[in-house]
Amino acid sequence: METLVDILRTRALTDPDGIAYIFLKGSEECKITYAQLDLEARRVAKLLEGQGSSALICHLPGLEYIYSFFGCLYAGVIAIPIYPPRFNQKLDRLSAIVSEIDVKCALISQSVLENVKPLLSEQPNLSQVKFIKTDLPHSLTANDLPFLQPEITGQSLAFLQFTSGSTSQPKGVMLTHANLINNLQAIHEKFESSKDSVGVIWLPPYHDMGLIGGILQPLYIGFPIFLMSPYSFLQRPMRWLQAVSQYKATISGAPNFAFDLCTKRITDEQAATLDLSSWKLAFCGAETVHAHVLENFYQKFKVAGFKKEAFYPCYGLAEATLIVSGGVKDKAVIVESFDATAIESQGRAVKSSVDLKSSRSYVGCGTAPKKYSIKIVDPITLKSLPDGAVGEIWFTGPSVAQGYWGRSEESERTFKAKIAGDSETNYLRTGDLGFLQGDELFVAGRIKDLLIIRGRNLYPQDIEKSVGESHPGLVSGTSAAFSIEFQGEEKLVVVQELDRRDAKPELLQEKSTEFIELIRKKIFEDHDLPVHAIALVKSHSIPITSSGKVQRQATRRLFLDNALPELRRFQEGVQVSS
Amino acid sequence: MNTQIDTVKLFTDYIYKVEKSKQFPTITRDAKISSLGIDSLGMMEIIGCFEDDLGIVIPDDKLATIQTVGDIEKVIMGQMASKLSN
């Protein structure tokens, strides 16, 4: 089987009445069989005739999302899942993607279209987009909609995965059917899933883990999957675990923060009502996995029969389709203590005893699947590094994506990197730092300027843009946004330079209060993100490169060392002081 | 039949339940949620509290229309009405 279309077609022909997906809406179970999914996909494919070579998917999580996605594949059209607009946010993200891709149509539901309609006129380039409602009632049958084989092969693009909701640099990762099928096989190999598996997933389908892990993987193997909206989970984390309990799920997972949220929000009494003994594989990825988060979760839910060996830390990224490494099923999580100072400043992983002050626990993220290889590489010399040395994580294998849409230079650099002394093999540069102990991968940080907060990827450029727009007195290019770790969670920090006029002692108090308030507000409105700390610093104190670019990592280092000439600092939960 | 709900009071209770250690400005019906300093994760939990206490389910597509505390009231009233008519 070469394409995802082949896979769904085979399921529909060999097991037409098999349940493909069950979407949970409150207490309601909305089901769709393989034959129904196949029919709906054919119907959507027909709607897409003559609408161009790609289509946005603007649905909220639900069955209409899934059949619209397959409808694109059936039509041989590149699907573009997007983050749906929330809380009346502006459509600038959608608009940025449309400018990037030049897409002509969008699949949407009636109710979402009602919500976005009043906002469409604010973005002129959205007038080129035809919105096609795919959830209108119909009485079409298989006879009305003959299956038409699209002209695609394994090498055809299936969809573009946008790695964030970035407006300044939306990067669409190009994934072919072959990329996907290879990664689905790798996940299968690692997760040891089978037809007897049962899944529960609340992850958003516009995110790689939700779409590939939650929707495509069950189809590939042929096991039932219970899906729910991420909003359902966030409203009541208990709903996730109740679904695992009720449906006796064997596979379910989420980013680190979700396990933490369950531990914090669910009471001991509630935990005791659950039966989590069926849960064989609790995968945890998409952001740094913390040992204490897993341990606290285990302590809370062992009363419900949750097994510690079920934890399954893994590492992956959209540029590699999804999975890069994962542990061994049913085996205890590997947690090792290393000297954090040696990792950060000497680039070496040195084991240390837990009671040392500089000691930190790192969770092993497993090994590469067969047919794939992970190398640790010096990001400057591009030389392969030995065991225990910290460097950039490089990855090679058949599911490394084709590149970023329309960004050939950046794609060449990121997806076709060569290790010194090996001109044959193309590697993906992940931008993450890590080290190997034998084959076991430990992730130790990041070189790329990316923030990952609660599993969400954010580009600092977007945040700095908002900071610059928050007040006319702030000049763009005079701020740096980065993340730091605070109580086991990644948090946003903004450093902003102040003009000398505003920094005068008699004005400082008033001006800085105003700036801090407006920066927080603007970041909130634009990115739905609380700011952990804002440091207002003297002008020209943020380090820049010779070409004038803000050096975020260097600024971060100075911030952590308290070495910036700070005029005032705001910190979440701490009284503002100057 | 009394369907009067003090949304502002409930919202205030919930926001401090969800974010125990933070201080928030006085909540009013017109308060823009984006200016209160609670993120969508916290907001989702607040919606969850309303759902649990009032025995309703707020559909995902309605969430996108919420901008102010008053909007929550509108959505809740809509859901209560459809619940009562069923």
Coordinates of all heavy atoms in Angstrom, one line a residue, chain A residues 7-47:
Chain A
I7 N -5.0 2.8 1.9 CA -5.3 2.2 3.2 C -6.8 2.3 3.5 O -7.4 1.4 3.9 CB -4.4 2.9 4.3 CG1 -3.0 2.5 4.0 CG2 -4.9 2.4 5.7 CD1 -2.0 3.3 4.9
L8 N -7.3 3.5 3.4 CA -8.7 3.7 3.7 C -9.6 2.9 2.7 O -10.6 2.3 3.2 CB -9.1 5.2 3.6 CG -10.6 5.5 3.9 CD1 -11.2 4.8 5.1 CD2 -10.9 7.0 3.9
R9 N -9.3 2.9 1.5 CA -10.0 2.1 0.5 C -10.0 0.6 0.9 O -11.1 0.0 0.8 CB -9.4 2.2 -0.9 CG -9.7 3.6 -1.6 CD -11.2 3.7 -1.9 NE -11.6 2.8 -3.0 CZ -12.9 2.6 -3.3 NH1 -13.9 3.1 -2.6 NH2 -13.2 1.7 -4.2
T10 N -8.9 0.1 1.3 CA -8.8 -1.3 1.6 C -9.7 -1.6 2.8 O -10.4 -2.6 2.9 CB -7.3 -1.7 2.0 OG1 -6.6 -1.3 0.9 CG2 -7.2 -3.2 2.2
R11 N -9.7 -0.7 3.8 CA -10.5 -0.9 5.0 C -12.0 -0.9 4.6 O -12.8 -1.7 5.1 CB -10.2 0.2 6.1 CG -8.9 0.2 6.6 CD -8.8 -0.3 8.1 NE -7.4 -0.5 8.5 CZ -6.7 -1.6 8.4 NH1 -7.3 -2.7 8.0 NH2 -5.5 -1.6 8.8
A12 N -12.3 0.1 3.8 CA -13.7 0.2 3.4 C -14.2 -1.0 2.6 O -15.4 -1.4 2.7 CB -13.9 1.5 2.6
L13 N -13.3 -1.6 1.8 CA -13.7 -2.7 1.0 C -13.7 -4.0 1.8 O -14.6 -4.9 1.6 CB -12.9 -2.9 -0.2 CG -13.0 -1.7 -1.2 CD1 -11.9 -1.8 -2.3 CD2 -14.4 -1.7 -1.9
T14 N -12.8 -4.2 2.7 CA -12.7 -5.4 3.5 C -13.4 -5.4 4.8 O -13.8 -6.5 5.3 CB -11.2 -5.8 3.7 OG1 -10.6 -4.7 4.5 CG2 -10.4 -6.0 2.5
D15 N -13.7 -4.3 5.4 CA -14.3 -4.2 6.6 C -15.3 -3.0 6.7 O -15.1 -2.1 7.5 CB -13.3 -4.1 7.8 CG -13.9 -4.1 9.2 OD1 -15.0 -4.6 9.3 OD2 -13.2 -3.7 10.1
P16 N -16.3 -3.0 5.7 CA -17.1 -1.8 5.5 C -17.8 -1.3 6.8 O -17.9 -0.1 7.1 CB -18.1 -2.2 4.5 CG -18.0 -3.6 4.4 CD -16.7 -4.1 4.8
D17 N -18.2 -2.3 7.6 CA -19.0 -1.9 8.8 C -18.1 -1.7 10.1 O -18.7 -1.4 11.1 CB -20.1 -2.9 9.1 CG -21.1 -3.0 7.9 OD1 -21.3 -2.0 7.3 OD2 -21.5 -4.2 7.6
G18 N -16.8 -1.9 9.9 CA -15.9 -1.7 11.0 C -16.0 -0.2 11.4 O -16.1 0.7 10.6
I19 N -15.9 0.0 12.8 CA -16.0 1.4 13.2 C -14.6 2.1 13.1 O -13.6 1.6 13.7 CB -16.4 1.5 14.7 CG1 -17.8 0.8 14.9 CG2 -16.5 2.9 15.2 CD1 -18.9 1.5 14.3
A20 N -14.6 3.1 12.3 CA -13.3 3.8 12.1 C -13.0 4.8 13.2 O -11.9 4.8 13.8 CB -13.3 4.6 10.8
Y21 N -14.0 5.6 13.6 CA -13.8 6.6 14.6 C -15.0 6.8 15.5 O -16.1 6.7 14.9 CB -13.4 8.0 14.0 CG -12.2 7.9 13.2 CD1 -12.2 7.8 11.8 CD2 -10.9 7.9 13.8 CE1 -11.1 7.8 11.0 CE2 -9.7 7.9 13.0 CZ -9.8 7.8 11.6 OH -8.7 7.7 10.8
I22 N -14.8 7.0 16.7 CA -15.9 7.4 17.6 C -15.5 8.7 18.2 O -14.5 8.8 18.9 CB -16.1 6.3 18.8 CG1 -16.3 4.9 18.2 CG2 -17.3 6.7 19.6 CD1 -15.2 4.0 18.4
F23 N -16.3 9.7 18.0 CA -16.1 11.0 18.5 C -17.0 11.3 19.7 O -18.2 11.1 19.6 CB -16.2 12.1 17.4 CG -15.7 13.5 17.9 CD1 -14.3 13.7 17.8 CD2 -16.5 14.4 18.4 CE1 -13.8 15.0 18.3 CE2 -16.0 15.6 18.9 CZ -14.7 15.9 18.8
L24 N -16.4 11.6 20.8 CA -17.2 11.8 22.1 C -17.6 13.2 22.2 O -16.7 14.1 22.3 CB -16.4 11.3 23.3 CG -15.9 9.9 23.2 CD1 -15.0 9.6 24.4 CD2 -17.1 8.9 23.2
K25 N -18.9 13.5 22.3 CA -19.4 14.8 22.5 C -20.3 14.8 23.7 O -21.4 14.3 23.7 CB -20.3 15.2 21.3 CG -19.7 16.1 20.3 CD -20.7 16.5 19.3 CE -20.1 17.2 18.1 NZ -21.0 17.4 17.0
G26 N -19.8 15.2 24.9 CA -20.5 15.0 26.1 C -20.7 13.5 26.3 O -19.7 12.8 26.2
S27 N -21.9 13.1 26.5 CA -22.1 11.7 26.7 C -22.5 11.0 25.4 O -22.7 9.8 25.3 CB -23.2 11.4 27.7 OG -24.4 12.2 27.4
E28 N -22.5 11.8 24.3 CA -22.9 11.2 23.0 C -21.7 10.6 22.3 O -20.6 11.2 22.3 CB -23.5 12.4 22.2 CG -24.3 12.1 21.0 CD -24.6 13.3 20.2 OE1 -24.6 14.4 20.7 OE2 -24.9 13.2 19.0
E29 N -22.0 9.5 21.7 CA -20.9 8.8 20.9 C -21.2 9.0 19.4 O -22.2 8.3 18.9 CB -20.8 7.4 21.2 CG -20.3 7.1 22.6 CD -20.3 5.6 23.0 OE1 -20.7 4.8 22.1 OE2 -19.9 5.3 24.1
C30 N -20.5 9.7 18.6 CA -20.7 9.9 17.2 C -19.8 8.9 16.5 O -18.6 9.1 16.6 CB -20.5 11.3 16.7 SG -21.3 12.5 17.7
K31 N -20.4 7.9 15.7 CA -19.5 6.9 15.1 C -19.5 7.0 13.6 O -20.5 7.5 13.0 CB -20.1 5.5 15.5 CG -20.0 5.2 16.9 CD -20.5 3.8 17.2 CE -20.5 3.6 18.7 NZ -21.3 2.4 19.1
I32 N -18.4 6.6 13.0 CA -18.4 6.5 11.6 C -17.7 5.2 11.2 O -16.7 4.9 11.7 CB -17.7 7.8 10.9 CG1 -18.0 7.8 9.4 CG2 -16.3 7.9 11.3 CD1 -17.7 9.2 8.8
T33 N -18.3 4.5 10.2 CA -17.7 3.2 9.8 C -16.7 3.5 8.6 O -16.7 4.6 8.1 CB -18.7 2.2 9.3 OG1 -19.3 2.8 8.1 CG2 -19.8 1.9 10.3
Y34 N -15.9 2.5 8.3 CA -15.0 2.7 7.2 C -15.7 3.0 5.9 O -15.3 3.9 5.1 CB -14.1 1.5 7.0 CG -13.1 1.2 8.1 CD1 -13.2 0.1 8.9 CD2 -12.1 2.2 8.4 CE1 -12.3 -0.1 10.0 CE2 -11.3 2.0 9.5 CZ -11.4 0.8 10.2 OH -10.5 0.6 11.3
A35 N -16.8 2.3 5.7 CA -17.6 2.6 4.4 C -18.2 4.0 4.4 O -18.2 4.7 3.4 CB -18.7 1.5 4.3
Q36 N -18.7 4.4 5.6 CA -19.3 5.8 5.6 C -18.2 6.8 5.4 O -18.3 7.8 4.7 CB -19.9 6.0 7.0 CG -21.2 5.3 7.2 CD -21.7 5.3 8.6 OE1 -20.9 5.4 9.5 NE2 -23.0 5.2 8.8
L37 N -17.0 6.6 6.0 CA -15.9 7.5 5.9 C -15.5 7.6 4.4 O -15.2 8.7 3.9 CB -14.7 7.1 6.8 CG -13.5 7.9 6.8 CD1 -13.7 9.3 7.2 CD2 -12.4 7.3 7.7
D38 N -15.4 6.4 3.8 CA -15.0 6.4 2.4 C -16.0 7.2 1.5 O -15.7 7.9 0.7 CB -15.0 4.9 2.0 CG -14.8 4.7 0.5 OD1 -13.7 5.0 0.0 OD2 -15.7 4.2 -0.2
L39 N -17.3 7.0 1.9 CA -18.4 7.7 1.1 C -18.3 9.2 1.3 O -18.3 10.0 0.3 CB -19.7 7.2 1.6 CG -20.9 7.9 0.9 CD1 -21.0 7.6 -0.6 CD2 -22.2 7.6 1.6
E40 N -18.1 9.6 2.6 CA -18.0 11.1 2.8 C -16.8 11.7 2.2 O -16.8 12.8 1.7 CB -18.0 11.3 4.3 CG -19.2 11.0 5.1 CD -20.4 11.8 4.6 OE1 -20.2 13.0 4.3 OE2 -21.5 11.3 4.6
A41 N -15.7 10.9 2.2 CA -14.5 11.4 1.5 C -14.7 11.6 0.0 O -14.2 12.5 -0.6 CB -13.3 10.4 1.8
R42 N -15.4 10.6 -0.6 CA -15.7 10.7 -2.0 C -16.6 12.0 -2.3 O -16.4 12.7 -3.3 CB -16.5 9.5 -2.5 CG -15.6 8.3 -2.7 CD -16.4 7.2 -3.4 NE -16.7 6.1 -2.5 CZ -17.5 5.1 -2.8 NH1 -18.1 5.1 -4.0 NH2 -17.7 4.1 -2.0
R43 N -17.5 12.2 -1.4 CA -18.4 13.4 -1.5 C -17.6 14.7 -1.4 O -17.7 15.6 -2.3 CB -19.4 13.4 -0.4 CG -20.5 14.5 -0.5 CD -21.6 14.3 0.5 NE -21.0 14.5 1.9 CZ -20.8 15.6 2.5 NH1 -21.0 16.8 1.9 NH2 -20.4 15.6 3.7
V44 N -16.7 14.8 -0.4 CA -15.9 16.0 -0.3 C -14.9 16.1 -1.5 O -14.7 17.2 -2.0 CB -15.1 16.0 1.0 CG1 -14.1 17.1 1.1 CG2 -16.0 16.0 2.2
A45 N -14.4 15.0 -2.0 CA -13.5 15.0 -3.1 C -14.2 15.7 -4.3 O -13.6 16.4 -5.1 CB -13.0 13.6 -3.5
K46 N -15.5 15.3 -4.5 CA -16.3 15.9 -5.6 C -16.4 17.4 -5.4 O -16.3 18.2 -6.4 CB -17.6 15.2 -5.6 CG -18.4 15.5 -7.0 CD -19.4 14.4 -7.2 CE -20.3 14.6 -8.4 NZ -19.6 15.0 -9.6
L47 N -16.6 17.9 -4.2 CA -16.8 19.3 -3.9 C -15.5 20.0 -4.3 O -15.5 21.2 -4.6 CB -17.1 19.6 -2.4 CG -18.4 19.1 -1.9 CD1 -18.5 19.2 -0.4 CD2 -19.6 19.8 -2.6

